[in-house]
Amino acid sequence: MLDLLLAPAGLVLLRDSVEWEGRSLLKALIRKSALCGEQVHILGCEVSEEEFREGFDSNINSRVVYHDLFRDPFNWSKTGETLPGGALGALSDLCRKKHPGPVTIVLDSLSWLLLHLPCTTLCQTLHAIHRQDSYYGETSPSFYCHGQVHVLGLLHEELHGPGPVGALSSLAQTEVTLGGMMGQTSAHIIFRRPQQRPTHQTQWFSILPDYSLNLQSVPPLGSQPQPELPATQVDPTAHLTFNLHLSKKEKEAKDKLTLPFHFSAEKQQALLHPGRGQSTSQIFYEPDTFDLDQEDSDDDLDI
């Protein structure tokens, strides 16, 4: 999984959430890059350097260069320790430096950068890094990285709308969305290659204390849906004081019964062709004294 994520140069976008945090996976990718001999530059914005380096051994920490934007990002203390140009200037300086070999630039996090930089400016900077890396050593007015450049960006997608998330997603060559089930973490990975259709892959994993990955080829047993047990059939009419079921004889009597509203052929013939001695029904009405109103109903109209 790590080899696939770090194989192509470009932006690797890690999308996490409140339920499934992504900094642990980010540090696992940093560990892999450092073990491969790459120089790792971390633009730290959300946690301190001490907290970020915690868990790495001395071999990993010796290859990690931490650029601190967490302690005093705007140089309010006037100590001169703040990186010149702020976050954007620090990111540009990382790409202007000449690196002898492959380098990994870690942005922790893109969400912090989006809160302090316009989305278009950040996207243009990331695009320039990828474009310069495609030229592989050619110089441009702003960027001239030598060798492959991997950019690892952590994005807290719940903090942003669909616009910034979609813009960063379109720039990413590899996109990892963290999720899981039953306490087990999964990564849905999208690989985008030039002139190829995107490929999808889902990987289940766990992160060990030294930030190495324990990969699982299939979902954990605890996360697999369990087959539903057959529900016991309960007769709702078992304890009623009356019977809703008919016996065999009662069903036969019911089938033979002619309903009063049923218009059978015999009734139709009897009504159309009355036999001798049969008379049609008549209604005789004799008005009562109180049925006629002697008063003029239009008397109030003054006609």
Side-chain angles (χ1 to χ4, degrees), residues 183-243:
Q184 300 293 333
T185 308
S186 66
H188 179 71
I189 308 172
I190 302 176
F191 301 98
R192 300 185 179 95
R193 302 294 177 265
Q195 300 179 352
Q196 294 182 13
R197 297 183 60 182
T199 58
H200 299 257
Q201 178 183 347
T202 300
Q203 180 69 60
W204 295 83
F205 66 94
S206 60
I207 300 178
L208 302 180
D210 62 345
Y211 292 105
S212 59
L213 287 183
N214 180 21
L215 302 181
Q216 299 168 351
S217 58
V218 295
L221 295 178
S223 65
Q224 294 180 350
Q226 300 295 331
E228 297 182 0
L229 297 177
T232 56
Q233 298 294 333
V234 179
D235 188 4
T237 64
H239 303 287
L240 295 179
T241 58
F242 53 90
N243 186 18

Side-chain angles (χ1 to χ4, degrees), residues 27-284:
K27 296 177 73 171
L29 296 175
I30 294 173
R31 178 181 181 273
K32 178 64 176 178
S33 296
L35 292 178
C36 292
E38 297 185 13
Q39 188 72 36
V40 181
H41 292 267
I42 300 173
L43 196 63
C45 308
E46 289 190 349
V47 297
S48 64
E49 181 178 359
E50 294 77 11
E51 181 179 351
F52 196 92
R53 290 181 179 271
E54 185 178 356
F56 290 145
D57 57 25
S58 58
N59 184 29
I60 303 299
N61 280 321
S62 64
R63 293 185 174 274
V64 171
V65 180
Y66 191 88
H67 304 270
D68 193 355
L69 280 174
F70 173 78
R71 195 179 308 276
D72 189 9
F74 302 107
N75 197 23
W76 288 345
S77 61
K78 303 299 180 180
T79 59
E81 298 178 357
T82 304
L83 299 176
L88 183 61
L91 182 58
S92 301
D93 289 341
L94 291 177
C95 299
R96 290 192 181 99
K97 294 180 180 179
K98 294 183 179 181
H99 303 281
V103 62
T104 297
I105 299 176
V106 181
L107 307 179
D108 184 22
S109 68
L110 286 170
S111 294
W112 191 95
L113 295 175
L114 282 174
L115 294 177
H116 297 82
L117 296 174
C119 180
T120 54
T121 303
L122 179 60
C123 291
Q124 289 172 359
T125 304
L126 295 174
H127 177 67
I129 297 173
H130 171 61
R131 183 184 178 187
Q132 177 58 29
D133 181 72
S134 64
Y135 290 127
Y136 200 79
E138 295 183 11
T139 58
S140 65
S142 301
F143 302 92
Y144 48 90
C145 285
H146 288 238
Q148 287 189 336
V149 179
H150 299 106
V151 180
L152 304 179
L154 180 62
L155 179 68
H156 313 309
E157 61 177 347
E158 294 176 330
L159 301 180
H160 312 284
V165 175
L168 291 173
S169 177
S170 63
L171 293 175
Q173 281 68 52
T174 305
E175 186 175 356
V176 183
T177 303
L178 295 178
M181 186 184 300
M182 302 292 292
Q184 300 293 333
T185 308
S186 66
H188 179 71
I189 308 172
I190 302 176
F191 301 98
R192 300 185 179 95
R193 302 294 177 265
Q195 300 179 352
Q196 294 182 13
R197 297 183 60 182
T199 58
H200 299 257
Q201 178 183 347
T202 300
Q203 180 69 60
W204 295 83
F205 66 94
S206 60
I207 300 178
L208 302 180
D210 62 345
Y211 292 105
S212 59
L213 287 183
N214 180 21
L215 302 181
Q216 299 168 351
S217 58
V218 295
L221 295 178
S223 65
Q224 294 180 350
Q226 300 295 331
E228 297 182 0
L229 297 177
T232 56
Q233 298 294 333
V234 179
D235 188 4
T237 64
H239 303 287
L240 295 179
T241 58
F242 53 90
N243 186 18
L244 294 179
H245 304 287
L246 298 177
S247 62
K248 185 177 180 180
K249 293 183 178 180
E250 291 173 341
K251 289 182 179 180
E252 293 176 354
K254 177 185 175 182
D255 295 337
K256 296 179 180 180
L257 181 64
T258 302
L259 299 178
F261 53 82
H262 181 66
F263 197 68
S264 61
E266 292 78 4
K267 287 186 177 181
Q268 184 179 5
Q269 293 295 329
L271 292 176
L272 294 177
H273 306 285
R276 294 183 179 181
Q278 293 181 354
S279 60
T280 58
S281 300
Q282 297 181 2
I283 299 176
F284 297 94

